[in-house]
Amino acid sequence: MKDENRQKNRDEELAHADESLKAGALLIENRLYREALPKLYYALFHALKALLFTEGLEPRSHEGVSHLFNLHFVRTGHFSDERHRFYRRLMKYRHEAEYGIGFEITEKDCLEWHTEVTRMIDEIKTFLHSR
């Protein structure tokens, strides 16, 4: 991936992350928690893709994002293992929210996840701007 493509892809992914986060907040405000969870997940997913693109890494799946984030940013000490575990947990919950039967999400959980996703996206943006 060429440098100009890295930056373009990064910027597009960050914009997508911001949009998904806003959509998640609107769904939470309207008490649509099961619908909000995938938006929160995708906000983080796109922010992580932006991070990976800056290193010329092009994940091909959700698992690929997780693996490359862990390998290139967690194991190297740039982000904590706790951040990786949170992403993995949110990925699992997103799948359950979209495809599971009987999966319930509380307002409290959704608000906590929104806060955590927002923090993690802010950390990613800070990291990207420091480079």
Side-chain angles (χ1 to χ4, degrees), residues 29-108:
E29 284 176 23
N30 287 285
R31 305 180 62 80
L32 298 168
Y33 308 124
R34 192 176 178 125
E35 295 300 318
L37 177 55
K39 288 298 182 186
L40 297 178
Y41 167 76
Y42 280 111
L44 186 52
F45 171 77
H46 289 292
L48 288 171
K49 281 182 68 178
L51 183 65
L52 296 171
F53 282 152
T54 62
E55 297 295 315
L57 302 168
E58 299 181 58
R60 300 200 192 301
S61 66
H62 295 263
E63 284 292 333
V65 168
S66 176
H67 174 73
L68 292 172
F69 173 60
N70 185 48
L71 186 63
H72 293 276
F73 293 95
V74 174
R75 290 187 184 175
T76 58
H78 296 296
F79 289 87
S80 70
D81 189 53
E82 178 183 319
R83 291 299 188 210
H84 183 244
R85 284 192 310 271
F86 174 72
Y87 175 71
R88 298 284 306 170
R89 197 167 51 250
L90 201 60
M91 185 168 48
K92 177 183 176 240
Y93 294 156
R94 189 266 322 170
H95 190 270
E96 288 295 319
E98 290 187 324
Y99 304 110
I101 295 174
F103 183 74
E104 293 185 27
I105 303 169
T106 66
E107 178 181 21
K108 180 180 181 272

Side-chain angles (χ1 to χ4, degrees), residues 21 83 112 114-124:
L21 189 60
R83 291 299 188 210
E112 287 175 6
H114 181 272
T115 299
E116 198 60 30
V117 167
T118 301
R119 273 193 203 123
M120 199 164 162
I121 290 172
D122 288 344
E123 286 178 23
I124 290 168

Side-chain angles (χ1 to χ4, degrees), residues 2 65 128:
K2 295 180 181 179
V65 168
L128 291 173

